[in-house]
């Protein structure tokens, strides 16, 4: 693979994109999991599917869209969906969780319509659904780098505010944290990360990379920052091993990355159980 990596630009694009996504997806995923909003990633990924399918359909009908990278419309619809979720959460104050299935259903519905209009699944659409190593172009890589910079700056600038909002929203309100503006911005950032990740992991699997490494990390970490570090570590391991497996097995990278994440989680759970049993025996 090293020789191929040196000779083929698409492999270089895929590896760099994967390494970046392995950082930003779990990084943002920890805040999502702590807030118990893990299903938002699923909802926004399905909205992104509608945007991608719509772009592929429009590319058959309008010359302008034939030259436009579908990732831009996918990101745009995901951002729009994130703002709609936030608006619906305010509308249904006592039933905030309703916002997620409403937007998820809308994304699936519009996605199915555009796929039907586009006369079924194309190779491009399958690549977006499950990820594709060969499909990552320079434009995709530049978009991912740009989004990664935005995410890191956002987390760096608002880390304390996000931490406070995640664990105690009432205290955050008393402390003067501007959740009214920060929460919609956070949702937009989540949408951007989903848009950035869909080329490598795939639309249907992107939420897994945002949550499974986090699920493994919180089993071991003793602090929030520790969980951040472990989440990124597990995410990177899953991406690297998944891309290598996808290259040699000639399969979609999204599935291998997610399976690697699950294997890591299972190993962590088993290690913690065995370690707990050993400590209990030592106590007797």
């Amino acid at each position: 693979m090293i020789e191929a990596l040196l000779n083929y630009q698409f492999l270089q694009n895929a590896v760099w994109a994967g390494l970046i996504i392995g950082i930003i997806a779990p990084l943002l995923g920890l805040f999502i999991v702590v807030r118990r909003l893990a299903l938002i990633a699923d909802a926004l990924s399905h909205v992104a599917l509608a945007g991608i399918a719509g772009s592929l359909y429009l590319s058959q009908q309008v010359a302008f869209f034939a030259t436009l990278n579908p990732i831009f419309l996918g990101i745009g619809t995901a951002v729009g969906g994130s703002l709609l979720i936030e608006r619906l959460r305010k509308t249904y104050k006592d039933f905030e969780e309703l916002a997620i299935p409403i937007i998820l259903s809308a994304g699936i519905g519009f996605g199915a319509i555009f796929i039907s209009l586009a006369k079924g699944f194309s190779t491009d659409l399958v690549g977006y659904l499950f990820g594709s190593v060969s499909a990552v172009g320079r434009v995709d890589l530049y978009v991912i780098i740009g989004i990664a910079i935005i995410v890191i700056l956002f987390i760096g600038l608002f880390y304390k505010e996000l931490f406070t909002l995640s664990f105690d929203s009432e205290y955050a309100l008393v402390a003067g944290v501007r959740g009214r503006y920060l929460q919609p911005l956070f949702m937009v950032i989540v949408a951007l990360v989903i848009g950035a990740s869909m080329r490598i992991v795939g639309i249907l699997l992107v939420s897994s990379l945002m949550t499974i490494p986090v699920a493994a990390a919180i089993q071991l970490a003793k602090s929030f920052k520790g969980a951040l570090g472990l989440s990124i570590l597990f995410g990177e391991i899953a991406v690297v091993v998944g891309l290598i497996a996808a290259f040699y097995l000639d399969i979609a990278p999204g599935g291998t990355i997610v399976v690697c994440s699950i294997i890591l989680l299972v190993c962590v759970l088993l290690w913690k159980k065995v370690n707990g049993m050993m400590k209990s025996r030592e106590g007797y």
Side-chain angles (χ1 to χ4, degrees):
M1 182 177 178
I2 300 298
E3 184 178 350
L5 185 62
L6 295 174
N7 294 327
Y8 296 105
Q9 189 181 73
F10 75 90
L11 273 179
Q12 297 170 11
N13 295 339
V15 170
W16 280 114
L19 291 174
I20 294 170
I21 290 165
I23 294 173
I24 61 175
L27 175 64
L28 206 60
L30 180 60
F31 291 96
I32 294 174
V33 170
V34 169
R35 293 184 179 197
R36 294 176 174 83
L37 297 175
L39 288 178
I40 281 180
D42 274 316
L44 294 181
S45 64
H46 285 82
V47 173
L49 169 62
I52 293 293
S55 182
L56 294 175
Y57 166 68
L58 290 172
S59 68
Q60 301 173 2
Q61 309 297 321
V62 182
F64 169 76
F65 285 97
T67 62
L68 183 68
N69 192 325
I71 194 173
F72 293 118
L73 193 54
I75 291 174
T77 54
V79 169
S82 69
L83 295 175
L84 282 173
I85 287 177
E86 192 59 26
R87 181 60 186 171
L88 286 171
R89 290 181 68 200
K90 292 179 180 178
T91 301
Y92 295 97
K93 291 183 179 180
D94 296 326
F95 306 96
E96 290 184 356
E97 66 278 4
L98 277 176
I100 298 176
I102 289 173
I103 297 301
L104 188 149
S105 300
I108 294 175
F110 281 108
I113 289 172
F114 284 124
I115 290 171
S116 178
L117 289 173
K119 308 302 181 184
F121 289 90
S122 64
T123 303
D124 288 339
L125 186 57
V126 172
Y128 279 106
L129 287 174
F130 302 106
S132 175
V133 172
S134 60
V136 182
R138 278 294 176 181
V139 174
D140 299 310
L141 180 58
Y142 294 148
V143 170
I144 291 169
I145 292 172
I147 291 174
I149 292 172
I150 293 171
V151 171
I152 292 171
L153 285 175
F154 176 74
I155 297 296
L157 289 172
F158 300 107
Y159 176 82
K160 291 182 179 178
E161 290 83 352
L162 290 170
F163 179 85
T164 305
L165 281 170
S166 298
F167 285 96
D168 195 338
S169 58
E170 293 182 0
Y171 172 76
L173 182 63
V174 174
V177 176
R178 297 182 179 180
R180 179 181 178 185
Y181 303 102
L182 194 58
Q183 180 62 20
L185 187 56
F186 175 79
M187 296 292 289
V188 169
I189 296 296
V190 172
L192 291 177
V193 171
I194 288 171
S197 306
M198 56 190 175
R199 262 309 198 186
I200 289 290
V201 188
I203 293 170
L204 298 181
L205 301 171
V206 63
S207 63
S208 302
L209 188 59
M210 298 184 77
T211 55
I212 297 176
V214 174
I218 59 179
Q219 290 291 318
L220 300 177
K222 297 181 180 179
S223 67
F224 188 80
K225 288 186 177 180
L228 275 178
L230 285 174
S231 296
I232 293 171
L233 176 62
F234 290 147
E236 288 287 77
I237 292 172
V239 167
V240 171
V241 176
L243 286 176
I244 292 173
F247 176 79
Y248 284 109
L249 298 176
D250 192 24
I251 54 179
T256 55
I257 290 171
V258 172
V259 169
C260 289
S261 298
I262 293 172
I263 291 173
L264 280 171
L265 175 60
V266 171
C267 289
V268 167
L269 293 174
L270 288 174
W271 181 87
K272 190 172 181 181
K273 185 175 182 179
V274 170
N275 192 47
M277 292 174 62
M278 291 177 64
K279 286 183 178 180
S280 63
R281 288 181 180 179
E282 290 175 359
Y284 285 110

